């Protein structure tokens, strides 16, 4: 009986150490999962803001004449009947 007691004590310590290791490993995994979740939520919020901004822009492009005009001018479109003048610098003019 005397020899069984130390063996059981060592076994109990080993089991305790294994349990502690598994607990710490699980805790680290849980923390990592929380961080991933938070990053995902932050990214989702950013994407939702971008979606809302684009919805407003689409609505303006559908309904606001001034927005349509600005976009058309930026793309170098002209209205029917307009005359386009292109100003080309003369060869004598020094470039900045």
């Amino acid at each position: 009986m005397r020899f069984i007691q130390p063996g059981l004590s060592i076994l109990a310590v080993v089991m305790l150490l294994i349990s502690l290791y598994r607990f710490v490993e699980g805790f680290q995994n849980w923390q990592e999962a929380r961080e991933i979740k938070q990053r995902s939520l932050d990214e989702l919020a950013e994407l939702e803001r971008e979606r809302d901004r684009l919805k407003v822009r689409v609505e303006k492009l559908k309904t606001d004449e001034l927005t349509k005009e600005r976009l058309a001018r930026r793309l170098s479109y002209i209205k029917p009947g307009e005359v386009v003048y292109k100003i080309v610098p003369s060869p004598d003019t020094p470039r900045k």
Side-chain angles (χ1 to χ4, degrees):
M1 279 289 189
R2 246 176 91 181
F3 297 108
I4 295 176
Q5 288 296 348
L8 287 176
S9 297
I10 291 172
L11 181 61
V13 168
V14 168
M15 293 298 288
L16 180 64
L17 289 174
I18 291 172
S19 297
L20 182 62
Y21 172 78
R22 298 291 295 180
F23 173 78
V24 169
E25 183 181 32
F27 182 75
Q28 288 172 341
N29 290 340
W30 175 74
Q31 277 187 318
E32 185 178 330
R34 282 185 58 194
E35 290 170 5
I36 291 170
K37 178 184 175 187
Q38 187 58 49
R39 284 194 304 267
S40 297
L41 289 173
D42 293 344
E43 183 180 356
L44 178 61
E46 180 63 34
L47 290 171
E48 286 174 344
R49 284 190 294 274
E50 178 71 9
R51 179 203 59 203
D52 294 342
R53 187 186 66 75
L54 290 173
K55 277 184 177 182
V56 168
R57 181 151 186 213
V58 166
E59 191 58 35
K60 282 184 178 181
L61 285 170
K62 285 181 180 178
T63 59
D64 186 22
E65 291 301 320
L66 185 58
T67 302
K68 290 179 190 179
E69 179 80 17
R70 283 185 191 140
L71 179 61
R73 297 301 177 169
R74 195 175 318 142
L75 296 172
S76 301
Y77 288 5
I78 60 169
K79 291 181 181 179
E82 284 186 330
V83 178
V84 177
Y85 294 96
K86 184 174 183 180
I87 301 173
V88 180
S90 67
D92 303 347
T93 310
R95 291 191 168 198
K96 293 183 180 181

